[in-house]
Amino acid sequence: MSKYRIAWLPGDGIGVEVMEAARIVLDGLELDAEYVHGDIGWEYWCTEGDALPERTIKLLENVHAALFGAITSKPVKAAAAELAPALQGQGLSYRSPIVRMRQLFDLYVCLRPCKAYPQNPLNFKEGIDLVVFRENTEDLYAGVEFSPVPDGIRDSLSSHAPAFQAFGGLAGDDYAISCKINTRKGSDRIIRAAFEFAQKFGRKKVTVVHKANVVRATDGLFLETARKVAQDFPDIAWDAANIDAMTMWLLKDPFNYDVLVAPNLYGDVISDLCAQMVGGLGFGCSGNIGKQLAVFEPTHGSAPKYAGQYKVNPIATVLTAKMMLDWLGELEAAQRIEDAVATVIREGRVRTYDMGGSATTLEMAEAIAGQLTGRRAA
Ligand code: IPM
Ligand code: MG
């Protein structure tokens, strides 16, 4: 038996290609790991009515970690229209499998490091090194949504929320409600994770991202929780900023920030911004981390327009595999991957189209694998 059993989930579109690339790099490490394929993605929604089939959930229950490529998501009505005829009209509704995995396995930390590797022609500025901690299971992603709005919900809101008067007279299908639900526990654990990370790696500051001046209840709770958690880390500097201002300030002076922590949707937004500052979609890596399981995925999507061309940059997925190794405790192997990526970027001989070059996805992977130096894992 191998030391590690890893669920291998390519998913849709370019997910398949970048995972093939990641495998070339991982195989260069001679890690004692077994990679077990799992079905996931649009195809399984269309043919089985479930983009995350039960057998894949079972697989995830029996692995040390998972590496996941990308998924195609479509709005509810478009998704229903693509179901196999035999599955239509059964009330099946599409939910993003990555969001489901996060919730099913309580992968509450979404960790998104955004580091500018020296000489990357796509760096917004050299030296950027930001780490986003995004809450990953609640907030506007809770999945508590109404469209149309049932009478019972309308009546309850009418009697509890004076501001609801403005909407109370509408017909149920003339509006929709998505609930933003944030808990003390959920806020505490993500904020704590950010502070613990800052402490462990000697980072200079934690910035709490919110919109508590307007979204008072939920973001108010998040900010209040941050104040409490911060007391447990007196040696870590921290501040807080509204999400809108944050996007401006980050662009203006990224060096004023270090570790960022945010509720789910703001974290989604801010992590794309941070990824863009260090090279864009080809460089954004991420981990969805819980107590038992962690699912690692590049931040980018399935990019249908590039699918099958072996053209996209696999560095995001290679760095994602590096994060997985860190999480497994294979720190030396993880470092070797990061060093290899940094060397290939710095030398600039092999570049994918986004970096101004013409290397294919797999040529980039081979170049990185070719740079893996140091002691081989036993
Ligand atoms: C991400 C993505 C996902 C999200 C989508 C694909 C559901 O944007 O991982 O950031 O919104 O969380
Ligand atoms: Mg996103």
Side-chain angles (χ1 to χ4, degrees):
M1 246 183 52
S2 312
K3 186 169 176 200
Y4 301 113
R5 197 170 136 84
I6 311 289
W8 195 259
L9 314 173
D12 298 317
I14 59 158
V16 174
E17 298 156 40
V18 292
M19 289 285 279
E20 204 177 318
R23 185 62 163 274
I24 290 172
V25 177
L26 285 170
D27 284 349
L29 291 170
E30 292 165 9
L31 189 76
D32 185 14
E34 173 194 2
Y35 302 100
V36 189
H37 174 91
D39 292 338
I40 190 167
W42 194 248
E43 178 187 343
Y44 303 98
W45 162 253
C46 298
T47 56
E48 301 178 25
D50 193 352
L52 178 62
E54 200 52 40
R55 58 185 177 281
T56 306
I57 295 174
K58 286 272 162 319
L59 168 68
L60 289 168
E61 284 166 359
N62 288 295
V63 292
H64 294 97
L67 197 64
F68 169 54
I71 216 83
T72 297
S73 286
K74 299 190 185 178
V76 173
K77 284 182 185 151
E82 290 193 33
L83 271 178
L87 295 169
Q88 300 229 353
Q90 294 183 16
L92 293 169
S93 71
Y94 182 83
R95 279 201 72 201
S96 158
I98 182 63
V99 175
R100 278 178 64 205
M101 281 192 281
R102 290 169 183 164
Q103 290 172 346
L104 268 174
F105 293 97
D106 202 20
L107 309 175
Y108 63 94
V109 172
C110 184
L111 174 59
R112 295 188 157 168
C114 297
K115 191 192 279 190
Y117 288 96
Q119 314 296 324
N120 180 353
L122 298 173
N123 284 341
F124 174 58
K125 289 179 180 162
E126 290 285 331
I128 294 176
D129 185 6
L130 297 160
V131 180
V132 178
F133 278 77
R134 164 188 178 187
E135 198 289 318
N136 219 16
T137 58
E138 34 186 67
D139 197 62
L140 270 163
Y141 282 69
V144 182
E145 304 196 274
F146 306 98
S147 176
V149 179
D151 291 350
I153 298 291
R154 180 200 58 207
D155 296 346
S156 178
L157 287 172
S158 297
S159 58
H160 287 97
F164 189 73
Q165 263 187 3
F167 310 101
L170 293 170
D173 61 0
D174 278 343
Y175 67 125
I177 296 179
S178 299
C179 296
K180 174 167 157 78
I181 305 179
N182 302 74
T183 66
R184 284 192 200 285
K185 177 184 164 194
S187 306
D188 182 284
R189 62 187 184 173
I190 188 68
I191 296 166
R192 202 166 285 282
F195 274 88
E196 280 168 356
F197 177 93
Q199 190 160 60
K200 182 167 173 195
F201 294 103
R203 311 285 303 215
K204 63 175 191 273
K205 183 170 81 170
V206 174
T207 300
V208 179
V209 183
H210 65 91
K211 186 74 189 183
N213 57 343
V214 177
V215 191
R216 292 172 186 278
T218 46
D219 287 355
L221 181 145
F222 196 79
L223 189 54
E224 182 189 316
T225 307
R227 288 201 183 97
K228 285 198 188 119
V229 172
Q231 286 173 7
D232 293 340
F233 298 87
D235 47 336
I236 306 286
W238 77 285
D239 59 10
N242 283 314
I243 173 72
D244 52 344
M246 194 67 219
T247 57
M248 287 205 294
W249 291 340
L250 261 175
L251 270 183
K252 188 168 173 227
D253 186 7
F255 303 109
N256 192 28
Y257 299 94
D258 191 334
V259 177
L260 308 169
V261 60
N264 209 336
L265 185 62
Y266 307 148
D268 182 40
V269 172
I270 215 105
S271 59
D272 270 18
L273 173 58
C274 292
Q276 185 58 45
M277 291 196 289
V278 299
L281 294 176
F283 296 84
C285 50
S286 89
N288 303 280
I289 302 171
K291 295 257 186 268
Q292 311 293 336
L293 178 71
V295 177
F296 295 85
E297 49 153 354
T299 306
H300 63 65
S302 64
K305 79 172 186 196
Y306 292 122
Q309 298 179 32
Y310 284 88
K311 180 176 174 177
V312 298
N313 192 343
I315 288 181
T317 312
V318 172
L319 289 172
T320 296
K322 177 255 177 212
M323 290 180 72
M324 179 176 79
L325 295 176
D326 273 328
W327 188 74
L328 289 170
E330 294 289 337
L331 305 187
E332 187 193 312
Q335 190 62 54
R336 284 172 61 201
I337 292 190
E338 184 172 28
D339 291 347
V341 168
T343 302
V344 170
I345 293 175
R346 194 183 58 246
E347 289 183 346
R349 281 197 291 266
V350 180
R351 286 180 170 171
T352 42
Y353 85 95
D354 54 324
M355 302 170 79
S358 59
T360 66
T361 304
L362 300 186
E363 282 164 358
M364 175 58 93
E366 298 286 359
I368 296 167
Q371 289 294 335
L372 290 170
T373 53
R375 194 162 58 81
R376 296 249 157 186

